[in-house]
Amino acid sequence: MESFIGQWLLDELEGKLDPRQYSALRGRSTTHELVDILYHWHQALESNSSLRVVFIDYAKAFDHVDHSTVIRKLTDFEVLQVLIRWVRSFLCDHQQRVKLSQYDSEWLTLKGGMPQGSYLGPLIFWS
């Protein structure tokens, strides 16, 4: 079901995402991003332009995704409401607890984050 919804969502987002978005899109990868970066760096260096680079690594980025921000962005992209409702249902009201030996913590309802290992996680994260 996730792959079906994911393809539908990709169809809805066609032409709306940054053209330099490489991750989580079919036919694109981080290797494509590296080639694009190197191309632009070489152009700048060959034309004696200055070059500034900032790399940011967000620790546990997928764990800190705010669900309301995802829904708002999908609404801003004018994604069909049926898809937005499905994504909201997919993301919201997940619960977790920790089990250590024979001890269990209380259940906690998550207010953010992406389901680990999901097909939609990277796509929703970058949309």
Side-chain angles (χ1 to χ4, degrees):
M1 183 65 162
E2 275 187 69
S3 62
F4 173 77
I5 295 294
Q7 186 55 55
W8 192 3
L9 194 54
L10 280 172
D11 291 344
E12 284 289 309
L13 293 171
E14 183 74 32
K16 297 177 183 176
L17 295 177
D18 186 324
R20 288 197 262 171
Q21 168 62 40
Y22 292 96
S23 176
L25 297 177
R26 182 172 284 128
R28 295 181 176 202
S29 70
T30 52
T31 303
H32 291 104
E33 173 66 18
L34 289 171
V35 170
D36 187 49
I37 287 172
L38 289 172
Y39 171 76
H40 286 91
W41 289 354
H42 284 284
Q43 272 190 324
L45 292 173
E46 286 177 5
S47 65
N48 292 323
S49 299
S50 63
L51 180 65
R52 293 185 181 111
V53 179
V54 176
F55 291 99
I56 300 173
D57 181 17
Y58 295 104
K60 298 191 176 237
F62 279 76
D63 293 339
H64 294 99
V65 173
D66 184 301
H67 296 158
S68 62
T69 301
V70 171
I71 300 305
R72 187 179 68 251
K73 285 181 73 177
L74 292 174
T75 302
D76 291 347
F77 281 134
E78 298 177 346
V79 170
L80 293 173
Q81 282 299 310
V82 66
L83 283 173
I84 293 173
R85 285 193 305 270
W86 194 93
V87 168
R88 181 181 293 123
S89 173
F90 176 75
L91 292 177
C92 297
D93 298 325
H94 285 250
Q95 292 187 321
Q96 73 177 25
R97 70 178 176 175
V98 175
K99 181 174 182 140
L100 183 61
S101 189
Q102 72 270 21
Y103 303 102
D104 295 334
S105 69
E106 296 295 319
W107 284 100
L108 173 69
T109 301
L110 304 177
K111 294 180 175 42
M114 290 293 178
Q116 298 270 330
S118 72
Y119 173 85
L120 284 174
L123 174 61
I124 293 172
F125 181 81
W126 292 113
S127 61

